[in-house]
Amino acid sequence: MKASISGKVMLIYGSIFLLIISMTFWLSYQGTVGRLESDLTDTNLALLKQVDQKMEVAFRQTEKDLLELMEELEFVYFMLDSYDNEAQKYSNYYGLTTKLKHFINANPNFSSIFVYSAVNGDILTEKAYMNDISQGDNWLDDYMDMPGYFKWLTTHPVWDGTTTKNVVTLIRSYPTLSSPGYRNGMVAVNINEDVIYGMIESVYENSTSGHLFIFDAEGNVVSHDDKTMLYQNRKQLPYMKKVLSADGSGSLSIKLDGVPQTVFYRTSAYTGWKLVSILPESQIYEPLRLTRNLLFVLAGSMIILALAVLFYVNRITFKPLDRLVSKLAGTYQPEHKHRFDTAGFTYLETVFEKMLQDREHLEKHVRDSKAVLKWRIIMDMLTGYRTDYQALRHHLEFTGVRLFPERFLVCTAEINKAEGSLGPRDETLYTYVFCNVAEELMGKENTGAAIDLGGGRAVLLFSFAEGEADQNHLRALAIMELLLDVLKKQFGLIVTVGVGRGVKELKDVQDSYGESRKALRYKLLFGSHSVISIEDVQPPDSQQYYRLNRKAGRIMEALKLADTGKMKEDVHQAFLQAVELGLPPDLIRQFSFDLIVKALQVADSVGIGPEESTDNLNSIYEKIERSEDWKQAEALALSVLDELAAKLMSKRSQRGKNDTIDRMLTYIQSHYQESDFSLDRLAEHFHLSPTYISKQFKEYTERNFIDYLIEIRIDASKALLAGKAMKVNDVAEAVGYMNSRSFLRTFKKYTGMTPTEYRERALSKPPGHDTDQA
């Protein structure tokens, strides 16, 4: 029975999936479990290194302390047996014994110290004095001819005059740098073996469940948790042969009593001893088991998921092919029927070959669709969807577009008529004209393509054969200027073009396209029928905008006073400054909105609610959004301010005179210099409640009492700062501020300058000049 298409696919792709999953599992296993094994090995070796370093530091300090002791004068007398009489001898013995006791007591690691004089054969410890010692009992005499100046002895029993202890000994010749035959004696410092093992425990913190040995170079046990193993030689053990012969550090796997274990070893560079740690592998690799099991579970899950996905994909893709073959087998009969397998791809191949006989008709259809294909390809390039020039080259040639592999630049254009907006049919027609003329001008010295974006917009893609980006940018600007001139003279078209920067690679064309669209948005500043380069556009500077926005305060003051002449002048100066700063159109529109919002707040503060502020506020917002240039935005914002100023004047004309408030204003002018002046004091003087005065004051003056008081004080301080006579602190006190810091903060908030900056500007300007305006 012949297999179906879906069955063959299941077999092939199932095998591929299993192979990929197996390789992925193997790589993951090596990258996780293998790395963890290495990390665990490094960790155990690092612990041995810490023990080694700790021992070396202690041993070197011991040697240093011993050398300092050997320089004592009593030490010299004892070693040379140089005394005038017996009294001096025993006095020296007593002094040296005292210093030996201090030496031992000063370091808790030391067990005892032996000083042997070969001149008289005596041995002195911190506890005992021994003379006439037989040569067999004098163990220090055995090292008189040792080749070096010092030597660390492995663990051995030593009697210090009172008890016998297991110690590790540092032996040092005297004099300190003397060769055999020239020595006067030996000095030995003993360290308890328990101290050595304590160093091991301090590093491992009793966390190891294995064993840790310290051996000398001959295989003798120096230290171990099992004290019965001290003095034993373990050289005969199989793994010890490799450990003793190896240098540096490493690890090896062994079996002890049938249990797999790992031996970690390190050679001390100072003593030559071997530090050996033996741990069961079950303890070392316990963290790996969970990771390994998770990987197995993951691999199994991936296999099941892959087979399920393969079954599902096969069911919705290749199963229909089986049904297609069965249907074609009943409707299409090939000439040589016996040659075809109607259950496989051979039959489908024959059917598809016949279908491809319509190739010429399809090609004709494609040729008729070249314009659409050209639009699609250029848009894909502009949006960064296609960035491989070699893959695009034959598609571009097929559509009649010739581009160089490098050096591109993008321009975006808006097309309109001088007499007004275009209808949909005219937009298409004039955009087509624009694209044809643009491609003709581009093709004279360079090459490129132009396409219709719809809505009276088009995009031009320049391609240059040579030149740097800046040079090509200038070329594009010159061509665009010529293009605008031709279109206006011959067709009466008003065209605004945004020009992006030149880029070298095709993948960066989308950046140039974005820059051209950004430059085109500055039509609000540069006006219609102009070429706007991205390099002409100054990046938005929020600090400049905030500086401009501070002028809104002056405009609002003019609005409060209903001084329409000054208000219009301030608005015009603000918009001129925005243009000079090169603010983007969005920020100029935002400034227009901010003026309107602040004006509404001023109106609300004097009792003109939002419902009566302006009748066409929504349409004003829409008109500002659609404004063609900054002058339109200025006129629209000013129209709202004029309307609010008129309503403000009408509101005030309806308000009667308030003699009480007038008297209060006069009183404030006379007493604002007093630091304790307040609303409560004003109420007390006029025998009215603070709440009543606050309400009446705001209704009549259109501001709060505290704001009015601050403004009076700041205005007075400006007059005092205009001269050099008074210091800033004196000015603050003169206008009612006892705290100069509070005055500085308030002055800068209201004027935008510090008092010192205000004084410098006031003194540098001619008389009659407005310092705040400067």
Side-chain angles (χ1 to χ4, degrees), residues 45 48-49 52 56 215 217 242-250 264-276:
L45 292 176
L48 291 179
K49 182 178 179 180
D52 183 21
E56 182 175 345
F215 299 95
K242 184 173 181 179
V243 170
L244 293 174
S245 61
D247 294 327
S249 59
F264 301 93
Y265 61 89
R266 177 180 177 85
T267 304
S268 173
Y270 178 70
T271 61
W273 295 348
K274 302 285 184 177
L275 284 75
V276 180

Side-chain angles (χ1 to χ4, degrees), residues 517-578:
R517 295 170 64 189
K518 179 180 179 181
L520 187 59
R521 291 200 298 269
Y522 279 74
K523 175 183 176 183
L524 180 68
L525 294 179
F526 291 87
S528 300
H529 203 69
S530 58
V531 178
I532 308 171
S533 169
I534 187 63
E535 295 181 351
D536 297 333
V537 178
Q538 181 177 349
D541 187 344
S542 59
Q543 294 300 324
Q544 291 181 343
Y545 177 76
Y546 292 144
R547 193 180 307 122
L548 173 67
N549 204 26
R550 284 202 296 268
K551 289 186 175 294
R554 189 181 304 278
I555 297 171
M556 295 304 109
E557 288 298 325
L559 175 62
K560 289 179 181 178
L561 299 174
D563 187 349
T564 56
K566 188 175 186 304
M567 180 180 69
K568 291 179 180 180
E569 177 63 23
D570 290 342
V571 170
H572 183 63
Q573 291 298 327
F575 275 88
L576 282 179
Q577 183 178 356

